[in-house]
Amino acid sequence: MNARWSGRWAPLNAPTWSTDMKLTAHQIEQFDRDGYLFFPSIFTPAEMKVLLDEVPKLYALRRPENVREKDSEAVRTNFAAHLYSEPFARLARHPRMVEPVVQLFDEQVYMHQFKINGKMAFAGDVWQWHQDYGTWMNDDLMPTARAMNVAIFLDEVNEFNGPLMFIPGSHKQGALPAGHDTSTTSYPLWTIDNDAIRKLVDKGGIVAPKGPAGSMILFHGCLVHASTANLSPWNRVAVYLSLCAVSNHIRRFKRPEYIAHRDFTPIAPLADDCLLKPYPVDLPWKDGTPSSAYETEKAA
């Protein structure tokens, strides 16, 4: 496998997913080396339809959880849908994304952040080069990088609609120096300067996993990544679930609770068919965002 190729590919020895969600020794080695694993079409079209049908309803809400693009009404990010949307509450407990992370950390995990990023056709803005752990460390006082992201494509991702770009192996650098960019887009981000990116790319190259709706990426919290604006006529909506080892929970509540969650209860996975069957789930924010979610700077 050529780690610098940016076309469609599947990890070597990709499993046939069922109720056994264990990563192979080869996949664990690959994750350690590259900082990510890509699983094309791990969810079925029927499962994705359940989620995608829900997105317009969520994006239409005038809730604080919807962050809109700087110069348009297009939603850039929807936060915390798993607390008020039944389909996404079930996704948040799906074994296909929870169990591999538990295996890699050898510890139970909680939901640190849940977002539906809407890089909408013609309107989706850039995400600058950054590490997610940089934000979790600087804003939330997360002690170590024992947290990672799971990205699930709700739309097909192609070379034109702003795919995620990764620098393979960049997670090995740990937390890199970053500046707090509060002006480029509507969402503040701890970003990495261009000189550092050049050096990382000279060493690791750039990849951009692409594939059909239902594909999934696991990637390390320190993996440097970005995405370009979406100038195409195709939406690129994806769900990002940030799962953190329970012992590594955040120590500071600087950000609202709908952005950085304060419930460190381990996730209890549902059955593998939970997107297609109405398993009961709690929806504590169904009737609105609680006032406590806005409170910040509390001691953890």
Side-chain angles (χ1 to χ4, degrees):
M1 181 183 64
N2 182 353
R4 291 169 177 77
W5 180 49
S6 61
R8 300 169 189 252
W9 62 276
L12 299 178
N13 302 322
T16 299
W17 293 95
S18 58
T19 55
D20 181 8
M21 307 309 299
K22 295 295 183 183
L23 299 174
T24 66
H26 174 79
Q27 289 169 321
I28 294 172
E29 179 184 351
Q30 181 179 342
F31 181 83
D32 180 68
R33 181 187 69 238
D34 296 336
Y36 72 100
L37 291 170
F38 181 43
F39 303 98
S41 302
I42 194 172
F43 291 94
T44 67
E47 289 173 318
M48 289 300 94
K49 187 176 187 304
V50 171
L51 299 175
L52 200 55
D53 285 352
E54 183 80 351
V55 170
K57 305 173 193 175
L58 295 174
Y59 282 4
L61 297 173
R62 307 308 295 192
R63 293 179 62 130
E65 292 91 345
N66 275 333
V67 176
R68 299 181 188 275
E69 296 287 10
K70 192 173 183 179
D71 298 316
S72 79
E73 280 294 293
V75 170
R76 178 177 178 85
T77 297
N78 167 273
F79 285 107
H82 67 303
L83 298 177
Y84 50 92
S85 163
E86 183 175 340
F88 285 100
R90 286 186 268 132
L91 176 67
R93 297 160 175 81
H94 204 294
R96 278 177 238 167
M97 61 93 183
V98 174
E99 291 182 4
V101 180
V102 170
Q103 181 185 358
L104 288 167
F105 287 147
D106 193 25
E107 183 180 350
Q108 289 184 300
V109 297
Y110 79 94
M111 187 70 69
H112 170 62
Q113 192 173 75
F114 188 107
K115 56 192 178 190
I116 307 169
N117 280 3
K119 194 174 283 275
M120 307 310 287
F122 302 114
D125 206 350
V126 302
W127 286 89
Q128 311 94 297
W129 286 108
H130 67 285
Q131 298 171 305
D132 285 325
Y133 180 62
T135 296
W136 304 338
M137 176 182 67
N138 287 305
D139 286 346
D140 306 323
L141 289 187
M142 185 182 287
T144 70
R146 284 177 57 78
M148 73 173 71
N149 286 305
V150 183
I152 300 167
F153 300 173
L154 299 193
D155 292 306
E156 179 184 5
V157 175
N158 57 50
E159 59 266 44
F160 305 111
N161 63 353
L164 272 174
M165 300 183 294
F166 298 127
I167 304 177
S170 57
H171 65 300
K172 297 284 191 179
Q173 303 297 315
L176 295 168
H180 202 204
D181 185 344
T182 61
S183 61
T184 299
T185 72
S186 62
Y187 187 71
L189 204 61
W190 289 88
T191 62
I192 300 170
D193 69 58
N194 292 342
D195 286 341
I197 295 301
R198 287 190 188 95
K199 292 175 183 176
L200 291 170
V201 172
D202 284 345
K203 182 177 181 180
I206 298 176
V207 298
K210 298 178 283 289
S215 299
M216 182 175 84
I217 310 173
L218 303 181
F219 63 101
H220 195 284
C222 286
L223 190 68
V224 179
H225 61 287
S227 63
T228 61
N230 182 8
L231 300 180
S232 81
W234 305 296
N235 292 339
R236 195 224 73 178
V237 178
V239 185
Y240 293 81
L241 306 99
S242 302
L243 305 182
C244 183
V246 171
S247 66
N248 193 50
H249 66 79
I250 63 174
R251 269 46 175 187
R252 180 168 67 189
F253 300 160
K254 178 181 177 181
R255 301 192 290 173
E257 187 178 3
Y258 56 83
I259 296 178
H261 298 307
R262 304 165 192 173
D263 182 352
F264 310 138
T265 304
I267 297 171
L270 296 173
D272 189 75
D273 61 355
C274 62
L275 289 177
L276 300 178
K277 294 184 179 179
Y279 291 91
V281 287
D282 292 331
L283 299 174
W285 293 10
K286 185 176 181 180
D287 296 325
T289 312
S291 58
S292 60
Y294 299 91
E295 297 173 5
T296 58
E297 295 292 351
K298 281 188 174 181

